[in-house]
Amino acid sequence: MPAVTVLDEMEVDMTFENESSSEGMKSGRSAEEIEDIVVTAKLDRLDLQPVSQEILFDPKFSTTEFRLIQLDKDILHSIEAGDVLVFRGDENDAAVLCTDKETYEIKEAETTNSLLLFKDLRMPDVKSPTGSTSSSKSPGSSANTSLNASELNDSTSQDENVNPTPSVKSRMIIDVAHSYLEMKRMRPNMSKIRRLLRGSEYDGKTDMEGRQQESSVTLNMLLDKIPASKDEIMKYLDEIRAIDISGSLRLVDGDYLFRILSQVLNCVDENSWSLTQIEKNVVVQTLSCLVQPFFLEKMFEWFFKPLPIEEPGTSSSALKYTYQEDAVCRFFGETLLKSMGKFNLREFLKVWQESVPEGLIVGLNQLNGIAVCDEECSPPVIWHYPEYNLPETFTDRLGLLFETKVRWKLTEISPFIEVFSPPSQNVGNLLTKYARSTTVNGVKYYFSKHGK
């Protein structure tokens, strides 16, 4: 294929004509005219490529046929590996672009210069006859060059190198863009999933008695409606302990979950198992007449974890389990807080510690995102305050948080607003823009910009 004749430091008046896009079409400039330009510009022909490219508008020229998207390296590698990218979101949501694992927000960015999209344009990335590598720096060409990266690595044909006779080739402008789409990694807001699943809580029954079948939610429905990647949706469903029953996703009734977990813990106590000697198979066999086996399996996924097999060749059925300490403590803590309003902090910590299995240690960090603690009042109090019940817009949520509590430590407020912070930034950067801060006794607090 031909290379580009580079006319550095010279602004050439291009001829734009609507003609046939074939290589053999009649050129607006002849090779002789190009040579006259080279002579006038006092350029050495040996420093240039033998083939000049004339820029013409394609007869099918359009300004709406293509949309340009700026990709980061990770997305580009995903495409090159054959991964599928999907635009997701309900009709009322802003569109996002998802890989299997990550979610990217899409924003339109305008350009100060028009971006020209060419067909078969060749860039001067091959060595000239003098042995140096040519480069294009003609005025206004930088934006156009970036659009043709897929064409950059093609070298000139051997015939052209052997026969350096100047010639002219026509290249077609097939589109002009005045903007492009930017992609930025984001944390998806999953609160819509809870809303969709409310009203169909699982309470031990395997059918859908008394419920409208058409209101059931499936995984495919979530993949259509939720602006998030599949892996992020699956992870969130596990976090909120959603289960699949006959193809329909359902939350678990809180009272039912507490009752079954209590039965499992009673079974552990009756067998006098230590923290690291819990036998899942015995629990399932003991309680299967009272609880659906599939649900007991789920209980172990949510609240227990298998210990490594010490002896080679040991059957998986002989696995020993231990507690997921944070998951068990968090569940019991939230269950206690749901039963009342504000709770004396010291009394709560005592009752909470007594409610969890022996050997587990409770800590306020286990309640991140589901409780608020106010240690500045007398006595200090704590109450249930789930993140998923807060407004979905950042300004409304931040306003409500500062109404609930005048000032917050970064560790206290982060679980409630981190969904609005890009993964590449911390919540502190977000608060610096939308809140004020002060430091008291070496501790930094954030409060409303409009507060006293």
Side-chain angles (χ1 to χ4, degrees):
M1 296 296 292
V4 178
T5 297
V6 182
L7 306 180
D8 285 343
E9 308 300 330
M10 179 177 181
E11 189 168 352
V12 181
D13 179 22
M14 296 290 188
T15 301
F16 297 91
E17 300 178 5
N18 286 328
E19 301 184 23
S20 169
S21 60
S22 64
E23 291 285 350
M25 66 176 290
K26 182 180 179 180
S27 171
R29 290 188 187 276
S30 65
E32 290 74 16
E33 290 174 317
I34 295 295
E35 289 305 303
D36 290 341
I37 295 175
V38 171
V39 173
T40 303
K42 298 181 179 180
L43 300 175
D44 189 341
R45 164 51 73 180
L46 294 179
D47 292 333
L48 306 178
Q49 300 294 335
V51 178
S52 300
Q53 296 181 99
E54 179 185 34
I55 307 303
L56 304 173
F57 280 99
D58 191 279
K60 298 180 180 179
F61 170 79
S62 168
T63 59
T64 59
E65 186 174 354
F66 296 92
R67 297 300 301 271
L68 307 177
I69 301 180
Q70 187 179 55
L71 304 177
D72 64 17
K73 291 183 179 179
D74 292 337
I75 291 291
L76 182 59
H77 292 160
S78 294
I79 295 175
E80 292 173 341
D83 295 341
V84 176
L85 304 184
V86 182
F87 283 99
R88 283 206 175 99
D90 213 347
E91 56 185 19
N92 296 322
D93 296 322
V96 299
L97 187 62
C98 302
T99 64
D100 284 340
K101 298 180 179 180
E102 298 171 339
T103 303
Y104 294 81
E105 64 177 337
I106 304 295
K107 290 187 177 180
E108 187 170 34
E110 293 186 353
T111 61
T112 55
N113 296 321
S114 298
L115 302 174
L116 305 181
L117 186 63
F118 290 90
K119 182 178 181 181
D120 297 327
L121 185 69
R122 295 298 180 225
M123 304 309 298
D125 60 341
V126 295
K127 290 186 178 181
S128 66
T130 61
S132 61
T133 301
S134 303
S135 61
S136 176
K137 292 292 183 180
S138 57
S141 67
S142 58
N144 301 343
T145 300
S146 66
L147 293 176
N148 299 278
S150 63
E151 307 292 343
L152 295 183
N153 295 324
D154 293 337
S155 61
T156 54
S157 66
Q158 295 181 356
D159 291 342
E160 288 170 352
N161 290 329
V162 173
N163 180 19
T165 302
S167 62
V168 181
K169 298 294 182 181
S170 299
R171 303 303 181 204
M172 297 294 107
I173 302 175
I174 59 177
D175 207 337
V176 175
H178 304 286
S179 64
Y180 62 95
L181 301 179
E182 288 183 316
M183 299 173 54
K184 291 184 179 180
R185 176 87 187 281
M186 62 174 287
R187 290 187 177 98
N189 190 333
M190 301 291 195
S191 56
K192 182 189 290 188
I193 294 180
R194 279 188 178 271
R195 292 202 311 270
L196 291 171
L197 294 178
R198 282 174 183 163
S200 61
E201 285 78 4
Y202 175 75
D203 55 6
K205 298 178 181 178
T206 57
D207 57 12
M208 294 288 286
E209 292 179 4
R211 309 181 194 277
Q212 294 295 326
Q213 185 65 36
E214 61 267 24
S215 66
S216 62
V217 178
T218 65
L219 177 59
N220 286 336
M221 182 188 299
L222 295 183
L223 292 176
D224 285 338
K225 292 181 174 293
I226 304 302
S229 70
K230 183 176 180 179
D231 280 9
E232 289 167 324
I233 291 175
M234 297 298 292
K235 180 180 178 182
Y236 184 75
L237 289 173
D238 187 60
E239 289 176 358
I240 64 176
R241 303 188 187 101
I243 57 176
D244 188 316
I245 299 179
S246 301
S248 296
L249 294 171
R250 296 167 66 179
L251 294 174
V252 180
D253 179 77
D255 292 338
Y256 178 72
L257 184 60
F258 180 79
R259 187 166 69 251
I260 302 307
L261 181 57
S262 298
Q263 291 178 354
V264 173
L265 297 180
N266 288 337
C267 185
V268 173
D269 289 338
E270 290 171 0
N271 287 277
S272 301
W273 289 322
S274 67
L275 288 176
T276 59
Q277 294 296 316
I278 300 171
E279 298 182 23
K280 171 183 167 183
N281 287 343
V282 174
V283 173
V284 173
Q285 291 173 7
T286 303
L287 300 178
S288 59
C289 59
L290 302 174
V291 185
Q292 292 287 338
F294 85 91
F295 194 73
L296 290 172
E297 293 283 345
K298 282 294 183 182
M299 295 295 291
F300 271 81
E301 288 181 21
W302 297 331
F303 297 110
F304 300 85
K305 59 183 178 181
L307 294 170
I309 298 176
E310 297 180 356
E311 299 181 7
T314 302
S315 171
S316 60
S317 62
L319 280 175
K320 304 296 184 181
Y321 283 74
T322 188
Y323 296 106
Q324 293 186 40
E325 184 173 53
D326 288 346
V328 174
C329 292
R330 180 181 177 89
F331 176 72
F332 275 92
E334 184 173 23
T335 301
L336 287 172
L337 291 174
K338 282 180 178 179
S339 63
M340 58 188 68
K342 292 187 177 180
F343 205 139
N344 181 295
L345 178 59
R346 181 174 296 180
E347 293 179 1
F348 169 75
L349 290 173
K350 180 181 179 181
V351 174
W352 185 20
Q353 182 63 65
E354 293 173 349
S355 69
V356 301
E358 185 177 355
L360 303 187
I361 305 299
V362 301
L364 290 177
N365 62 303
Q366 295 165 340
L367 301 178
N368 285 344
I370 57 173
V372 169
C373 179
D374 189 349
E375 299 182 72
E376 296 184 13
C377 66
S378 183
V381 294
I382 188 171
W383 65 98
H384 191 227
Y385 198 82
E387 180 271 337
Y388 51 80
N389 284 343
L390 297 181
E392 294 185 23
T393 60
F394 175 72
T395 53
D396 290 344
R397 178 173 295 198
L398 195 63
L400 181 58
L401 287 169
F402 286 129
E403 287 179 13
T404 302
K405 189 174 169 179
V406 175
R407 62 181 190 175
W408 298 72
K409 298 176 185 177
L410 181 61
T411 53
E412 294 174 333
I413 198 172
S414 291
F416 298 102
I417 61 173
E418 63 184 1
V419 67
F420 299 100
S421 176
S424 59
Q425 300 180 10
N426 59 46
V427 174
N429 294 337
L430 194 63
L431 289 172
T432 299
K433 182 177 181 180
Y434 292 98
R436 292 188 291 170
S437 65
T438 185
T439 302
V440 179
N441 297 326
V443 180
K444 193 171 186 178
Y445 292 90
Y446 294 89
F447 55 98
S448 174
K449 270 192 172 182
H450 309 292
K452 294 181 180 180

